[in-house]
């Protein structure tokens, strides 16, 4: 990209979160992430150009120096900070405004600093050849994959029902979503194929913010917050069918909708369990039996009495789970340590820099959280290290996994750019075509130190709501199973769970 020749017509609206808006290039496999401000600050930006630059550079440093070490370099794309022409940013803001969801328009795009984060567009991999079938990309936000066992947990229900399942009741009760998702993160992180299949199937049924599918960079399947619109599963199956015509020796034969859906989910399971080519073994009993099942999940435990549990140690899910488990105290045990640090900073404000509460996110920051003593010695250094661990764990609990599926010709030569992809030879038995997949992790922004009290209040609200309702939901809040999925459920499950 030539930054001095930027044209807003080369970019299109891609999506946005709470803190940033993303645009993608119409030809290049690139996206720009731009900061957002509350609408009331649109005339008076809340930070200087230097502060905006530092905020984005902190995201890059946190991703490349901290999360990359914990999650694995092969999964991370940290990007770089770029300084854009202000006129380009202003015109871009005008162009994308009408495409933004109304409920996101309480914030406006930063048009004053010109700072942005430039990243690869993971929905259209650079290795993809435009002449071939467009790549599919599946975005999964897996959320927290374990139950807390900290002695500081005050409500026993937290050790039995996972945060996600309890949070679903709270979101439905508050009208954020019309229907509850039956997805449970503990099923996905179990490493058991049956439970993982079950989890992904429920993500498809009720995606919420946790599941999206892109085709050639365009989102073809997702949920809208607060919407009562039913998802068009038939349309999704129409998009998926060409990618799986060759699977399981069904060349040119009629594929049932159930078979398409089954193949799609099995491919995703393979990708999430696949390693990076190392010799990582399957890690079992990593948390004890009690922490691997959530009572909120509808999965029948009897199905897997004799089946394997555990994740390959070089899989993306294992790396994410290990990082999430840096939260050893739970928010209830962490909050008193937060107060210790907060009091120290009130007494000695200049210490904020030495303790790296706002960065820089470098090797020294990583060392602080990795070398934290196991016992609390009453020091502010111990409290800071535990707070840093918690912030990193929260980032891992809120990250997204991107699984790109790229149909490729058999005669294509492997080059260095394809080193991260894994062939699905063990699943797609007929050739051509082959499907290559590669896995990335994104949304790795550092969580602010000052957000910890909000986390505690939210935790208390979620738990009290769940206990107050007894885990019951209002009528109509359970997802109505799409016909193809409920029909598949009534059939013999040997195809659903065939060995791969």
């Amino acid at each position: 990209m030539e930054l001095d020749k930027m044209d807003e017509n080369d970019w299109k609206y891609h999506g946005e979160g709470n803190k940033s808006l993303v645009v993608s290039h119409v030809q290049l496999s690139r996206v720009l992430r731009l900061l957002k401000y509350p609408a009331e600050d649109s005339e008076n930006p809340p930070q200087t150009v230097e502060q905006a630059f530092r905020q984005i550079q902190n995201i890059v440093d946190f991703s490349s120096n901290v999360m990359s070490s914990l999650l694995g370099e092969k999964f991370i794309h940290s990007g770089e900070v770029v300084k854009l022409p202000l006129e380009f940013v202003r015109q871009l803001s005008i162009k994308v405004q009408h495409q933004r969801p109304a409920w996101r328009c309480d914030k406006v795009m930063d048009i004053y600093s010109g700072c942005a984060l430039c990243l690869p567009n993971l929905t259209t991999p650079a290795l993809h050849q435009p002449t071939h079938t467009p790549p599919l990309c599946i975005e999964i936000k897996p959320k927290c994959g374990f139950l807390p066992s900290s002695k500081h947990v005050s409500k026993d229900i937290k050790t039995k029902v996972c945060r996600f399942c309890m949070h679903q009741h709270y979101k439905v009760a508050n009208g954020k979503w019309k229907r509850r998702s039956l997805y449970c993160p503990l099923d996905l992180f179990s490493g058991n194929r049956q439970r993982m299949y079950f989890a992904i199937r429920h993500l498809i049924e009720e995606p919420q913010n946790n599941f999206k599918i892109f085709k050639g960079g365009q989102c073809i399947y997702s949920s809208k917050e607060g919407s009562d619109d039913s998802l068009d599963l038939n349309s999704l199956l129409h998009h998926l069918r060409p990618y799986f015509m060759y699977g399981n020796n069904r060349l040119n034969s009629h594929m049932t909708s159930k078979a398409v859906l089954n193949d799609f989910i099995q491919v995703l399971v393979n990708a999430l369990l696949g390693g990076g080519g190392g010799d990582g073994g399957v890690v079992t009993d990593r948390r004890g039996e009690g922490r691997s099942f959530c009572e909120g999940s509808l999965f029948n435990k009897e199905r897997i009495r004799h089946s394997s549990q555990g994740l390959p140690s070089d899989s993306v899910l294992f790396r994410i789970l290990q990082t999430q488990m840096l939260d050893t105290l739970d928010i209830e045990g962490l909050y008193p340590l937060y107060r210790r640090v907060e009091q120290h900073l009130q007494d000695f404000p200049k210490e904020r820099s030495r303790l790296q509460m706002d960065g820089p996110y470098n090797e020294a920051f990583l060392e602080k959280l990795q070398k934290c003593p196991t016992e609390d010695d009453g020091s502010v250094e111990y409290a800071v290290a535990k707070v840093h661990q918690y912030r990193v764990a929260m980032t891992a609990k809120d990250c997204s996994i991107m699984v790109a599926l790229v149909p490729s010709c058999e005669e294509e030569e492997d080059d260095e750019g394809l080193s991260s992809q894994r062939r699905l030879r063990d699943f797609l038995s007929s050739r051509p075509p082959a499907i290559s997949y590669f896995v990335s992790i994104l949304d790795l922004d550092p969580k602010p130190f000052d957000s910890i009290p909000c986390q505690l209040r939210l935790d208390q609200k979620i738990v009290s709501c769940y206990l107050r309702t007894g885990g019951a939901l209002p009528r109509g809040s359970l997802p109505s199973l799409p016909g193809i999925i409920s029909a598949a459920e009534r059939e013999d499950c040997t195809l659903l769970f065939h060995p791969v």
Side-chain angles (χ1 to χ4, degrees), residues 305-342:
R305 180 168 289 175
H306 304 295
S307 300
S308 62
Q309 290 277 105
L311 291 165
S313 59
D314 55 352
S315 66
V316 67
L317 289 177
F318 179 82
R319 298 300 289 265
I320 290 173
L321 183 62
Q322 292 302 299
T323 307
Q324 291 179 352
M325 292 174 74
L326 286 171
D327 172 17
T328 57
L329 301 176
D330 187 71
I331 184 64
E332 294 184 72
L334 191 278
Y335 185 70
L337 299 178
Y338 162 82
R339 294 285 294 132
R340 184 190 302 176
V341 177
E342 185 185 46

Side-chain angles (χ1 to χ4, degrees), residues 452-469:
I452 289 174
C454 297
Q455 292 289 337
L456 178 65
R457 288 193 295 272
L458 179 60
D459 185 75
Q460 292 167 340
K461 289 176 183 176
I462 289 169
V463 173
S464 63
C465 174
Y466 192 82
L467 291 174
R468 188 172 62 249
T469 61

Side-chain angles (χ1 to χ4, degrees), residues 134-172:
L136 284 178
C137 187
I138 299 90
E139 179 179 351
I140 299 173
K141 197 175 272 290
K143 307 306 283 188
C144 182
F146 70 98
L147 294 169
S149 60
S150 166
K151 63 183 180 182
H152 303 284
V153 171
S154 61
K155 303 292 185 186
D156 190 49
I157 193 67
K158 287 172 65 173
T159 66
K160 297 177 180 177
V161 180
C162 79
R163 165 66 174 254
F164 182 89
C165 288
M166 283 197 283
H167 203 173
Q168 283 294 306
H169 290 73
Y170 182 73
K171 287 179 176 179
V172 169

Side-chain angles (χ1 to χ4, degrees), residues 7-28 30-36 88-89 91-110 121 123-124 139 209 212 214-220 222-225:
D7 183 343
E8 70 274 8
N9 295 312
D10 292 335
W11 299 84
K12 61 183 179 181
Y13 178 81
H14 189 79
E16 60 188 293
N18 186 43
K19 295 180 179 178
S20 58
L21 182 146
V22 181
V23 294
S24 58
H25 197 278
V26 295
Q27 291 180 311
L28 304 175
R30 286 284 180 273
V31 298
L32 294 172
R33 261 186 68 182
L34 299 109
L35 298 176
K36 298 197 308 187
F88 161 74
V89 178
Q91 293 300 323
L92 185 63
S93 174
I94 294 169
K95 180 187 175 186
V96 303
Q97 184 60 33
H98 73 281
Q99 297 172 280
R100 300 178 61 199
W103 60 277
R104 287 287 193 192
C105 291
D106 59 330
K107 293 187 177 180
V108 295
M109 201 172 96
D110 170 21
N121 185 349
T123 67
T124 55
E139 179 179 351
N209 287 335
K212 293 178 182 176
F214 299 85
K215 179 182 176 183
Q218 298 290 328
C219 185
I220 59 170
S222 66
S223 281
K224 292 180 181 176
E225 199 164 305

Side-chain angles (χ1 to χ4, degrees), residues 51-336:
Q51 288 170 328
F53 186 91
R54 173 40 54 191
Q55 182 181 345
I56 299 175
Q57 187 62 55
N58 270 346
I59 294 171
V60 174
D61 293 343
F62 189 73
S63 174
S64 59
N65 298 330
V66 180
M67 301 309 292
S68 181
S69 296
L70 298 168
L71 298 173
E73 289 183 18
K74 65 183 178 235
F75 298 123
I76 309 299
H77 307 271
S78 299
E80 61 177 332
V81 190
V82 293
K83 190 78 170 59
L84 304 168
L86 290 181
E87 184 57 27
F88 161 74
V89 178
R90 291 191 186 100
Q91 293 300 323
L92 185 63
S93 174
I94 294 169
K95 180 187 175 186
V96 303
Q97 184 60 33
H98 73 281
Q99 297 172 280
R100 300 178 61 199
W103 60 277
R104 287 287 193 192
C105 291
D106 59 330
K107 293 187 177 180
V108 295
M109 201 172 96
D110 170 21
I111 60 172
Y112 294 101
S113 73
C115 298
L117 175 57
C118 183
L119 293 155
N121 185 349
L122 298 176
T123 67
T124 55
L127 59 87
H128 163 64
Q129 299 299 318
T131 53
H132 299 153
T133 309
L136 284 178
C137 187
I138 299 90
E139 179 179 351
I140 299 173
K141 197 175 272 290
K143 307 306 283 188
C144 182
F146 70 98
L147 294 169
S149 60
S150 166
K151 63 183 180 182
H152 303 284
V153 171
S154 61
K155 303 292 185 186
D156 190 49
I157 193 67
K158 287 172 65 173
T159 66
K160 297 177 180 177
V161 180
C162 79
R163 165 66 174 254
F164 182 89
C165 288
M166 283 197 283
H167 203 173
Q168 283 294 306
H169 290 73
Y170 182 73
K171 287 179 176 179
V172 169
N174 286 277
K176 184 170 183 178
W177 295 104
K178 302 287 186 187
R179 292 177 296 275
R180 170 191 166 199
S181 168
L182 300 181
Y183 164 70
C184 177
L186 269 67
D187 289 329
L188 188 71
F189 281 98
S190 69
N192 175 272
R193 287 183 177 276
Q194 293 178 359
R195 289 179 68 186
M196 293 177 72
Y197 187 107
F198 189 78
I200 293 171
R201 197 200 69 179
H202 284 303
L203 282 173
I204 295 171
E205 286 175 4
E206 197 65 36
Q208 296 189 359
N209 287 335
N210 304 100
F211 189 82
K212 293 178 182 176
I213 302 176
F214 299 85
K215 179 182 176 183
Q218 298 290 328
C219 185
I220 59 170
Y221 195 73
S222 66
S223 281
K224 292 180 181 176
E225 199 164 305
S227 170
D228 206 13
D229 297 342
S230 58
L231 292 154
D232 189 351
L233 195 68
N234 285 328
S235 173
L236 172 62
L237 291 166
H238 174 75
H239 284 294
L240 294 180
R241 195 176 297 273
Y243 294 84
F244 301 100
M245 284 300 290
Y246 293 86
N248 294 349
N249 295 313
R250 287 194 293 265
L251 183 60
N252 296 327
S253 66
H254 172 69
M255 285 185 70
T256 64
S257 294
K258 174 188 171 184
V260 173
L261 197 67
N262 178 58
D263 284 6
F264 173 64
I265 297 176
Q266 296 286 14
V267 164
L268 276 184
V269 170
N270 279 0
L272 295 172
L273 290 177
D279 56 354
V282 173
V283 179
T284 56
D285 301 322
R286 63 192 182 285
R287 299 166 293 166
E289 189 65 22
R291 299 177 72 195
S292 62
F293 275 103
C294 166
E295 291 183 6
S297 169
L298 298 184
F299 188 85
N300 181 359
K301 296 181 192 177
E302 295 301 313
R303 287 188 192 173
I304 58 165
R305 180 168 289 175
H306 304 295
S307 300
S308 62
Q309 290 277 105
L311 291 165
S313 59
D314 55 352
S315 66
V316 67
L317 289 177
F318 179 82
R319 298 300 289 265
I320 290 173
L321 183 62
Q322 292 302 299
T323 307
Q324 291 179 352
M325 292 174 74
L326 286 171
D327 172 17
T328 57
L329 301 176
D330 187 71
I331 184 64
E332 294 184 72
L334 191 278
Y335 185 70

